[in-house]
Each structure stands twice: as structure tokens, then as C-alpha cells.
Amino acid sequence: MSSRITTQRLFRRKPVGQHRETGLARTIGLFPLTMFGVGATIGTGIFFVLAVEVPVAGPAVVFSFLLAAFAAGLTALCYAELAGAVPVSGSSYSYAYATLGEIVAVGIGACLLLEYGVSAAAVAVGWSQYVNELLLNLFGFRLPHVLSVAPAEGGIANVPAMVLVFLCMLLLIRGASESAKLNALMVLIKIGVLVMFIVLAATGWNSNNLADFAPFGAAGVWTATAGIFFSFIGLDAVSTAGEEVKDPGRTMPRAIVLSLLIVTSAYVLVALTAVAAQPWQQFKGQEAGLAAILRNVTGSGVPATVMAAGAVVSIFSVTLVVLYGQTRVLFTMADDGILPPLFKRINPTTLTPVPNTIVVSIVVALLAGLVPLEGLADLVSIGTLVAFTVVSAAVILLRRREPDLPRPFKVPGYPVTPILSIAVCLFVISGLHWITFVLFAGWVSVMIAFYLWYGINHSRLETGPGGSEDS
């Protein structure tokens, strides 16, 4: 085998119809998979986004949610087609591998690792704050400040955030089916809490609060849309479970579309009842906004406590699904030979990638416990949006290269839909700060360098004694 790095080796593609036994058990059906998508999407966003975006758009923030859902929906439809046509784990990494080539897939893998790893840590930090709020409401005390924040914020470590990550680790090690069932239960609880908010907030409906519906015009609506868009990130988590889903060609597209419909309905109804129950001028800087609205409408602190409990459950669910997605992306990359075999080692009893899960959890727990992550939010966004862009482009490329490939679900309005999806993602990316591009380029460069040193010679597509089949 030649060790020369050639264009042919860099851009070799994994056959679309290729399937290997991975050792993972197919135990996840339509309902728990749909709950995976909902669980990864409805998280901290809806609990604080109104305080940020209502002051920008006024009551017309409802339209911002609809526009954001439309933008996310374009990409979700593209994911649904690829999930049915290429029903394997790995999400957009696997789709890029089948359409754009190996080195592009490695870059997209870097995007996904950034999206899942950093966002899991950030979400765990948010869980710590809600746990303290719930303890205060129920028992009248909070955990010591030094045990609730990172060293840079005056603490020793964010202990609750680290505990959450390790609890999720134990569930994921126990088995994908068990994790999916518990996640489904937690998702039902947080949907129930949001339904409670919608019903109670509707009792405080005041049409006068909607009179000045769009105080900042269309510009305000669009500006708020950009911020709200990221409340829909998480739908791609469904496509990381391809190797553990029953009848993936049919189940995965349905789960993605159902997740989008459930999430959009919940967001729009929460936003509408919130702005009708409280003047839009009062949202700015409001902490625990949904709980505050319920307290004002009902005159009782009980609903606020229930909202805090719902947030605790909600964020637990998000962390669980995001960690799951991270481990399955690493598993797929290792199974392809791009990463060391440690990340694809399966425990024969639980049929889960235990070493992979432990390594991921330790790294995420350290990030959550020791690093203030607010400044890394844009890194999560750019990683996600680049992955979204590639998925939309992959739909077009795969339609041309594999026109006869069975597709249980096809993107409606092709090719306009994937092209619009690409345009929307690029537009949102263009609004990010320049430092985000520098940090993002640095991280992707590290992954590419590792690939050129290790992955290119151990890839399953490599022939000869250097390939992973023989290593």
C-alpha cells in the first residue's frame, strides 16, 4: 500500500448500500425514537428564549417561531430523506461519507462532536441552576455557591452538572432501549408541563397585550427568528440511532417529521399564550419567565415550582439524548476505521459501547464542571449549521448519483427545498462573530490532522495491510 496522500484516497466514498453488523441491538421503535427527537430539541431554549426575543419582536415573536420552524423544517425534511435512504448511525457524518467523500465526512464528524459535546456540557450547567431553584422552592435552601459554578466564576466545580452527566452515563451503559424508554417518559413529563403552562396562561389572556402586535415591524420578526432558530436544533439526534432502530428505512423519516410537528406546536402555543398573558415590555431581562407568568396569572407559587421541576426533567432528557448522539457518532467513525477501535468496542452483556460512553462522559463532565461555557454557544451553532448545510447538499448529490436508490421518504418540493435549506443555513452562519470562525477552523483542523496521521491509513476503504480490516 502506498502511503501517499492522493485526491482519490481523500474523497473516496462509502457505498450507499453497504451494511455491516455492528453488534448494536435494534430495539428502538417509532414512539421512543420520536421522543428522542423531541427530547433533544425541547430543552432549555423554550424556558428562557422568550425573555431574549420578545423584546426584539414584540408579540409578533409568534411569527418568528413559525419562521424558525420553517427554516428548521427544510433541513428536517432533508434529514428524513437521507435517514430512510441511508439508514445507518452517524447522522450527517455518514451522509457526507456516502456523497462527498471521506475527508469531508471527517470535517462533518468534527462539527457533530463539537455540537454534541459542548452542548451537552452547556445544558448540564443549565440543569444545575434549575436544581438549585427547585431546592429553594421546595426546601428553602440552595447548594453552596462554590459547588454550583466553575472555578472561573468563583467556585470549586459545578457538582450538579457533573452528577447529571454521570447519571446519564450509567443509563446509556445499561442499554439503548432502557435509555430510550426513560427518555420517552421524561419527554412526556416536560410536554405535560408545557401543556400546563399553555392552559394556565390562557386563563390570563388579554387581547390588549396583542394590540401592538409588531412594534418593530418585519425587521424585528426576522431578527428574533435567528435567535429562535437554535431552539430547534436537536432534530438531527434521531439520525444518530440508525443501527439501533427497528425498520430504520421507514421509522427514522417518520420520527423526524413527527418530532418537528410536536416541537413546533409546543413552541408556538407557549409563545402565543405567554405574550397574550403578559405585556411584551415586561419580558426583557425576566428570569424564569414562564414560571413568573404563571405566578402572576394564578397568584400562586405552586405552578412556578412545577415549572422548575419540569425544567429539571427536561434538561436531564436533553443531556441524555445529546450524550447518546455523541457516543454513536464516535462509534460509527471508529467502525469506519477513522478513529481507534476503542470507540467501537461493545459490551457483550449490555450491547452498548461502554468504553466510548465512559470516555465521552468524563470529557463532558469535566467541561460542565470546570469551564464556563456561555462563550462557546456560537461554536455549537456553527457546527450544527455546517452539518445542516451538508445534509441538504447531500440530498441533491445522492438524487443525481443514485436515482434508483429506494427512498421510503422523499423531500417534497425537490430541488427547491434543499436549496432553500442551504441558503437559510448560510445566511444564519454569516451573522456569527469572526472569532467563532477562527475557533471552528482550529477545531476542524485538529480533526483533519488526526485523520491524515491515523484515519486515512486505517479506513475500512483502505486496501492492503494498513487498512482497518487488517489492523
Side-chain angles (χ1 to χ4, degrees), residues 236-268:
D236 58 328
V238 171
S239 57
T240 65
E243 299 291 351
E244 293 162 283
V245 174
K246 302 173 185 176
D247 190 12
R250 294 171 59 84
T251 302
M252 291 174 69
R254 292 178 178 180
I256 291 172
V257 173
L258 285 173
S259 299
L260 176 66
L261 293 175
I262 292 170
V263 169
T264 301
S265 300
Y267 282 178
V268 170

Side-chain angles (χ1 to χ4, degrees), residues 267-336:
Y267 282 178
V268 170
L269 289 173
V270 167
L272 180 60
T273 52
V275 294
Q278 176 176 276
W280 68 266
Q281 296 89 342
Q282 294 180 16
F283 280 86
K284 187 173 183 179
Q286 190 176 46
E287 295 186 6
L290 299 187
I293 290 172
L294 291 187
R295 188 180 296 110
N296 293 335
V297 168
T298 64
S300 169
V302 174
T305 301
V306 174
M307 284 300 303
V312 168
V313 172
S314 171
I315 297 170
F316 193 116
S317 169
V318 174
T319 308
L320 180 68
V321 176
V322 171
L323 282 175
Y324 172 88
Q326 174 84 298
T327 60
R328 271 38 179 191
V329 171
L330 285 169
F331 176 90
T332 304
M333 295 179 75
D335 195 50
D336 288 333

Side-chain angles (χ1 to χ4, degrees), residues 387-412:
F388 281 9
T389 303
V390 169
V391 165
S392 302
V395 168
I396 298 172
L397 288 173
L398 202 58
R399 285 276 190 109
R400 293 184 175 182
R401 288 177 179 158
E402 304 281 350
D404 299 323
L405 185 70
R407 292 174 172 83
F409 177 88
K410 287 188 175 183
V411 171

Side-chain angles (χ1 to χ4, degrees), residues 181-199:
K181 290 175 182 175
L182 181 60
N183 174 72
L185 176 62
M186 290 189 289
V187 170
L188 291 176
I189 290 173
K190 67 179 168 182
I191 290 177
V193 170
L194 292 179
V195 169
M196 178 198 74
F197 173 84
I198 293 167
V199 171

Side-chain angles (χ1 to χ4, degrees), residues 374-432:
E374 291 83 355
L376 296 179
D378 282 350
L379 279 177
V380 177
S381 300
I382 193 171
T384 304
L385 287 163
V386 169
F388 281 9
T389 303
V390 169
V391 165
S392 302
V395 168
I396 298 172
L397 288 173
L398 202 58
R399 285 276 190 109
R400 293 184 175 182
R401 288 177 179 158
E402 304 281 350
D404 299 323
L405 185 70
R407 292 174 172 83
F409 177 88
K410 287 188 175 183
V411 171
Y414 177 88
V416 175
T417 300
I419 291 174
L420 273 177
S421 176
I422 293 170
V424 169
C425 289
L426 292 177
F427 179 78
V428 177
I429 289 174
S430 68
L432 296 173

Side-chain angles (χ1 to χ4, degrees), residues 140-224:
F141 75 91
R142 303 169 63 93
L143 295 174
H145 181 73
V146 294
L147 299 180
S148 302
V149 296
E153 298 171 319
I156 298 174
N158 193 325
V159 175
M162 300 178 78
V163 169
L164 171 62
V165 173
F166 285 118
L167 288 174
C168 291
M169 179 191 76
L170 294 175
L171 281 170
L172 292 173
I173 287 175
R174 179 67 183 84
S177 176
E178 290 80 358
S179 299
K181 290 175 182 175
L182 181 60
N183 174 72
L185 176 62
M186 290 189 289
V187 170
L188 291 176
I189 290 173
K190 67 179 168 182
I191 290 177
V193 170
L194 292 179
V195 169
M196 178 198 74
F197 173 84
I198 293 167
V199 171
L200 292 180
T203 64
W205 186 288
N206 186 343
S207 299
N208 292 330
N209 292 334
L210 303 177
D212 189 12
F213 192 73
F216 305 105
V221 172
W222 181 248
T223 300

